[in-house]
Structure formats: structure tokens, C-alpha cells
């Protein structure tokens, strides 16, 4: 059973301090879940270097918490995000995030989304709670 | 037709700078929509003073961007949020946010949620995009 699903129901509400939680994220590109709401999950990602090109069947919200993130988009200009900036990657759009210097990123998306979308490889992760 | 619905489909993805958008929020307790994703909306709220007791039929994510927010919860200890901290108010839980000194707050919730939930009064707002 997927770990994110296993925890959905029992998890109580608690104050989530994003800065503190990010200190627990020690693997690049491996999303960690910090909250669930109406079947959505809020995930923290430590991004460094280049991810892989992929797409999802759902929209995906990227919010930069610290550092800078670039998102390459197939057929569109790439997007640059600084702290406090967000961007919605629409469903079906091939994209590749990268961050040369590294960044801390908040993802908002429906529960069960796999980080590498329609692809799989060494960076494919099983999301778990922190 | 609700304004938030009217804009759902046509709205293109764009970089949203939360700090810049908050400068456009000039009415307390009146949520302004800055992004839509999978039928959710991301809303900015300028909160000052006390809101009203109310509840929703859905979960509601509160994320403080600047300032401090207290959320009173029926039958549970109140919750204090500082910048970078979030809390999920579960569906059906009576709650009342307040912020003596004022704060900037990000709300994540399904499209169509009315700010005063099961109640209506002078603070009931029609959410619109900024």
C-alpha cells in the first residue's frame, strides 16, 4: 500500500512549520508529505541540479520557499521562480525542473502523484510523510 | 455566475509573486484568488482583528505569509501561526481566525468555498481574481 495513502485518514491536524520540516528533507528530488487536505497533498522537495523531463495527468503547483528554481516547459519559455513565487504546471505539459544552486520547493497536488509522472527511473520516489 | 468560476478555464499559467499580489489586497477578510489548479483555488487574505465563527464542508489550509494568525477552534486549543507555518482546519470544525496586529494569509481550498462558511453577514465576500 502506498505510504501516503496509509496515513491519510488517521493523521491529525497539527501546526506544520515549513522551515523546520525542510531540515528533515535530506534527499534531492524526493518529495516528503507534510499535510493532506481534501485528497490533496502538500509536499516538500529539496531540488538540486536537473530533474527529468516528464508530465502528469493533473495540474501541479510549484511554490519556491528558498533558493531559485527554473522549470523548462515543452514548447513554451522556461519559467524562473524565486522565493514566494508560484507557478501552475498544467496537466499534460512536459516539464523539467532544475536548480543549479539548489532550492526548497513546496508542491501542491492531488494525493498519489508520482514525481517522475509518465516516466520512471533512478529519480522516481515513493513519497512518505515527515 | 460566480467570478471565481467564470475565470477558471481561460486563465493561463503565469508566475505569481505572492508579495506583489498581497499589495493588491486592500480589504480585510476578503479573499482574492491568485491561482487555480485541479479545481482548487489559492487565495490571499489580509486578516486584521476578529473574523466570525463558522465552519465549512471541506478542509481548509491556512498558510501564514507575514504577521501572525490565531485560529480559535471549537472544543480544541487555539492554534497560533507564524510566517511559514500552516494548519489544516478540518471540515465541520467551527473556527474563528483572528489577528490583532494583522497578517497576510494564503488559503488553499476547493473552488467555490465562501469565506464565512455556514454563516453569512457583513464579512461574507465574493471572491475575485487579482
Amino acid at each position: 500500500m502506498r505510504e501516503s495513502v496509509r496515513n491519510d485518514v488517521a493523521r491529525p491536524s497539527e501546526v506544520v512549520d515549513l522551515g523546520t520540516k525542510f531540515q528533515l528533507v535530506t534527499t534531492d528530488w524526493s518529495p516528503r508529505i507534510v499535510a493532506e487536505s481534501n485528497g490533496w497533498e502538500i509536499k516538500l522537495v529539496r531540488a538540486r541540479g536537473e530533474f527529468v523531463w516528464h508530465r502528469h495527468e493533473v495540474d501541479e503547483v510549484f511554490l519556491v520557499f528558498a533558493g531559485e528554481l527554473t522549470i523548462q516547459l515543452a514548447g513554451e519559455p522556461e519559467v524562473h521562480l524565486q522565493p514566494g513565487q508560484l507557478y501552475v504546471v498544467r496537466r499534460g505539459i512536459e516539464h523539467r525542473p532544475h536548480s543549479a544552486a539548489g532550492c526548497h520547493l513546496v508542491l501542491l497536488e492531488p494525493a498519489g502523484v508520482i514525481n517522475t509522472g509518465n516516466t520512471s527511473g533512478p529519480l522516481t520516489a515513493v513519497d512518505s510523510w515527515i
Side-chain angles (χ1 to χ4, degrees), chain A:
Chain A
M1 182 183 289
R2 290 187 58 259
E3 192 159 1
S4 61
V5 173
R6 191 187 66 203
N7 289 285
D8 268 1
V9 176
R11 193 132 191 120
S13 280
E14 59 183 20
V15 173
V16 175
D17 184 272
L18 295 178
T20 302
K21 289 290 191 184
F22 268 119
Q23 294 177 18
L24 305 176
V25 181
T26 53
T27 304
D28 291 336
W29 301 115
S30 186
R32 306 298 302 273
I33 306 163
V34 294
E36 179 277 335
S37 178
N38 299 303
W40 273 49
E41 288 171 343
I42 300 177
K43 302 174 182 177
L44 305 189
V45 181
R46 195 180 78 171
R48 183 179 296 272
E50 288 190 339
F51 199 58
V52 294
W53 281 101
H54 68 286
R55 64 177 183 274
H56 301 285
E57 295 177 358
V58 295
D59 304 333
E60 193 172 37
V61 182
F62 290 74
L63 169 63
V64 170
F65 184 79
E68 297 185 10
L69 180 74
T70 297
I71 308 174
Q72 293 175 279
L73 300 162
E76 299 178 34
E78 64 186 17
V79 167
H80 302 281
L81 296 178
Q82 297 186 321
Q85 295 184 332
L86 68 82
Y87 183 82
V88 183
V89 175
R90 294 296 170 196
R91 59 192 73 185
I93 301 291
E94 295 268 351
H95 59 285
R96 177 169 69 167
H98 63 90
S99 178
C103 75
H104 282 173
L105 169 67
V106 179
L107 283 181
L108 313 171
E109 57 193 12
V113 169
I114 302 296
N115 64 337
T116 53
N118 63 315
T119 72
S120 65
L123 290 174
T124 300
V126 175
D127 302 344
S128 61
W129 283 80
I130 51 175

